[in-house]
Amino acid sequence: MKSIITIALIFITGLWLTACVSQPKIQFYDFPADIAEEAKVANLKLIEKGKILYNINCAKCHNTKEKGKIIIPDFTNEQLESYTIRIKNEVHVNTLPENKITAEELEAIQIFFNYKKPSRPQAEK
């Protein structure tokens, strides 16, 4: 009897974990109110790619830590556009050359920032 209960608990736990892992991370992003759910899911892959690329290439210089929580900056559209033009920032010319991060990868990072929820309430900006 104990083995049946154990197997049932393992099976239920497995189903629960699968459901948690397969849930899209849509709640972490701000999408326009009128965007279809299918479009959210379709864009999520590119947004997540941008987040990964940001964490690999940018986070060590741009993230801050407050009260033990990592804060990803809330860049304006103008700031994001300046990153795609590398010659505007000498540090980025040297640290992010085209052979390290491509224009397409920078675009994915920009898309991540376009949809990520703000790190701080609007009043604090």
Side-chain angles (χ1 to χ4, degrees), residues 13-25:
T13 303
L15 286 176
W16 179 77
L17 287 173
T18 302
C20 290
V21 170
S22 65
Q23 291 291 323
K25 299 177 182 178

Side-chain angles (χ1 to χ4, degrees), residues 46 49-51 53-54 57-58 80 101 104-114:
L46 182 58
K49 179 181 178 180
K51 180 179 180 180
L53 289 165
Y54 169 81
N57 296 291
C58 315
L80 290 171
I101 185 166
E104 292 81 18
E105 290 170 332
L106 280 173
E107 184 178 348
I109 293 169
Q110 190 169 12
I111 290 169
F112 159 67
F113 275 100
N114 286 337

Side-chain angles (χ1 to χ4, degrees), residues 68-88:
K69 183 180 176 189
I70 295 174
I71 306 294
I72 298 172
D74 298 322
F75 291 115
T76 65
N77 284 335
E78 294 79 22
Q79 288 171 317
L80 290 171
E81 288 171 10
S82 75
Y83 282 100
T84 60
I85 306 170
R86 299 168 209 243
I87 59 172
K88 279 189 154 186

